C-alpha cells in the first residue's frame, strides 16, 4: 500500500509538472523561445487566488477563474513588451530577457506581498480512504490528475482541429511561409502565450493546494523541473510534455521515499541526462532534418 500511495503522490506532482510543461512546450514549439519566466507566472496565479479567497473572501472557484484571467493577461503583456521586439534577435538575447523578466516578477511580488511565506488555503480539500483505511488518497491528488488529463486532451484537440491550432502548427513549421499564407504570426504567438499562462495559473492553484506554502520564489523550482519534463518528453510535443511530467513526478516521489529526500532533485536531473544521452530528442521528440 505504501508503494501505491507514493505512486499516486508522484502522479499528482507529475500532473502539476505536466501542466507547466505544456506551457513551455507550446511556446517553444511555436515561437522557438524558452520562456523561463513561466515558472513565476505560476507564483502570480497562486497569489491572485490567495488574495481572492483570503482578503476578498470570495469562493474558491471564482479565485481560480480570476487567477486564470490575470495570468492570461500577464502572459500576453510579457510577450508583447519583452519578447515581441526580439522576434529576429538571437536565442541568447531572448534567453537573457526571459531571465530578466523572471527576476522582475519575483522582486515585484516581494514588493507587493512581502518576502515571507504565507499559508495557502487549499482550493480542494478532503481525503478518501481505501482498503479499510490502509490507503489514503487526497481529493486534491485525484482532481489534479483528472484536470491534467482533461487539459492535455483538450489542448491536443485544439491544436489539431481548430483554425487557430492549425495556424500555430504552421508557424511552428515555418513562420515566413505562414505569413505569406495570410496567417497573423504575431497574433498566433500571443495566443500561444495566453494559453500557456492560463495553464500556469491552473498549475499554480493546484501546486499551492498540494503544498500549501506560498512565497515569491514558489514557482522557480517547479518551473525548472517542468522545463526538464518538457525536454524529457520531447519539447514541442504536447503528449511528450504530459508523459515527461508524469514520469518526472513519479521518479521524484519514489526517490524521496526509497532513496533520499536530499538527493531526489539530483536523481531527477541525472535521469534526464541519461535519457538525453540515449535519445537526445526526448521520449516523444522527432528528429528534424535540415537542408543545407
Amino acid at each position: 500500500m505504501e508503494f501505491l500511495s507514493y505512486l499516486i503522490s508522484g502522479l499528482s506532482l507529475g500532473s502539476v509538472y505536466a501542466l507547466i510543461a505544456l506551457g513551455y512546450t507550446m511556446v517553444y514549439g511555436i515561437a522557438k523561445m524558452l520562456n523561463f519566466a513561466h515558472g513565476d507566472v505560476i507564483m502570480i496565479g497562486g497569489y491572485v487566488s490567495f488574495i481572492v479567497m483570503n482578503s476578498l473572501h470570495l469562493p474558491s472557484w471564482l479565485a481560480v477563474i480570476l487567477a486564470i484571467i490575470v495570468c492570461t493577461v500577464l502572459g500576453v503583456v510579457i510577450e508583447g513588451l519583452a519578447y515581441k521586439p526580439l522576434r529576429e534577435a538571437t536565442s541568447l538575447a531572448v534567453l537573457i530577457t526571459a531571465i530578466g523578466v523572471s527576476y522582475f516578477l519575483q522582486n515585484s511580488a516581494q514588493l507587493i506581498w512581502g518576502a515571507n511565506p504565507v499559508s495557502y488555503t487549499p482550493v480542494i480539500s478532503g481525503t478518501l480512504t481505501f482498503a479499510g483505511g490502509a490507503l489514503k488518497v487526497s481529493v486534491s491528488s485525484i482532481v489534479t490528475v483528472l484536470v491534467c488529463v482533461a487539459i492535455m486532451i483538450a489542448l491536443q484537440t485544439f491544436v489539431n482541429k481548430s483554425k487557430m491550432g492549425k495556424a500555430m502548427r504552421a508557424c511552428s513549421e515555418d513562420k515566413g511561409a505562414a505569413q505569406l499564407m495570410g496567417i497573423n504570426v504575431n497574433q498566433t504567438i500571443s495566443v500561444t502565450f495566453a494559453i500557456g499562462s492560463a495553464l500556469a495559473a491552473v498549475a499554480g492553484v493546484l501546486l499551492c493546494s498540494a503544498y500549501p506554502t506560498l512565497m515569491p520564489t514558489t514557482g522557480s523550482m517547479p518551473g525548472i523541473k517542468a522545463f526538464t519534463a518538457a525536454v524529457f518528453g520531447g519539447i514541442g510535443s504536447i503528449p511528450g510534455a504530459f508523459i515527461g511530467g508524469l514520469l518526472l513526478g513519479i521518479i521524484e516521489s519514489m526517490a524521496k521515499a526509497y532513496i533520499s529526500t536530499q538527493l531526489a532533485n539530483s536523481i531527477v536531473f541525472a535521469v534526464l541526462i541519461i535519457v538525453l544521452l540515449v535519445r537526445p530528442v526526448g521520449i516523444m521528440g522527432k528528429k528534424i532534418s535540415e537542408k543545407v
Side-chain angles (χ1 to χ4, degrees):
M1 285 299 176
E2 281 189 1
F3 175 82
L4 192 56
S5 177
Y6 296 139
L7 179 63
I8 293 170
S9 177
L11 286 172
S12 175
L13 179 61
S15 296
V16 175
Y17 290 157
L19 280 175
I20 308 169
L22 286 171
Y24 272 119
T25 206
M26 282 193 68
V27 170
Y28 180 81
I30 293 161
K32 295 297 182 287
M33 294 179 181
L34 293 177
N35 179 23
F36 280 115
H38 191 65
D40 299 291
V41 178
I42 299 167
M43 172 267 298
I44 298 295
Y47 270 111
V48 170
S49 59
F50 173 80
I51 290 168
V52 171
M53 288 188 294
N54 292 272
S55 299
L56 302 180
H57 305 290
L58 294 175
S60 57
W61 62 268
L62 186 56
V64 176
I65 292 174
L66 290 175
I68 291 172
I69 292 172
V70 170
C71 287
T72 301
V73 173
L74 178 63
V76 173
V77 170
I78 289 172
E79 191 278 328
L81 294 179
Y83 300 136
K84 188 176 179 180
L86 301 176
R87 286 279 192 271
E88 305 301 324
T90 62
S91 57
L92 181 60
V94 177
L95 180 62
I96 293 171
T97 302
I99 294 171
V101 173
S102 174
Y103 280 114
F104 174 79
L105 291 176
Q106 286 185 25
N107 285 277
S108 297
Q110 287 186 19
L111 290 172
I112 297 170
W113 296 299
N116 294 325
V118 296
S119 181
Y120 188 89
T121 304
V123 172
I124 306 160
S125 58
T127 304
L128 300 177
T129 56
F130 301 93
L135 176 63
K136 294 182 179 180
V137 181
S138 68
V139 177
S140 175
S141 297
I142 297 172
V143 171
T144 300
V145 174
L146 293 177
V147 166
C148 181
V149 172
I151 287 177
M152 192 276 294
I153 294 171
L155 199 59
Q156 185 76 347
T157 304
F158 172 79
V159 170
N160 289 327
K161 302 295 184 182
S162 70
K163 185 177 179 180
M164 179 55 71
K166 291 176 182 178
M168 288 177 176
R169 286 188 287 137
C171 291
S172 176
E173 290 291 332
D174 191 324
K175 292 185 182 65
Q179 199 162 15
L180 290 173
M181 294 299 292
I183 294 172
N184 189 328
V185 174
N186 287 331
Q187 183 186 55
T188 303
I189 293 175
S190 294
V191 171
T192 304
F193 268 83
I195 293 172
S197 298
L199 295 180
V202 176
V205 171
L206 294 174
L207 177 67
C208 292
S209 294
Y211 303 93
T213 302
L214 180 61
M215 57 194 301
T217 56
T218 291
S220 297
M221 185 54 73
I224 293 172
K225 289 180 180 177
F227 174 70
T228 302
V231 176
F232 191 18
I235 194 161
S237 167
I238 291 174
F242 174 76
I243 293 172
L246 292 183
L247 289 176
L248 205 72
I250 292 171
I251 291 169
E252 182 176 339
S253 180
M254 294 301 175
K256 286 180 178 178
Y258 295 109
I259 301 176
S260 168
T261 54
Q262 286 80 18
L263 294 176
N265 290 339
S266 300
I267 293 168
V268 166
F269 293 117
V271 170
L272 171 69
I273 292 170
I274 293 169
V275 169
L276 292 182
L277 287 173
V278 176
R279 185 173 170 78
V281 294
I283 295 172
M284 297 191 70
K286 295 180 181 178
K287 293 182 179 180
I288 300 173
S289 299
E290 292 187 4
K291 294 181 180 180
V292 295

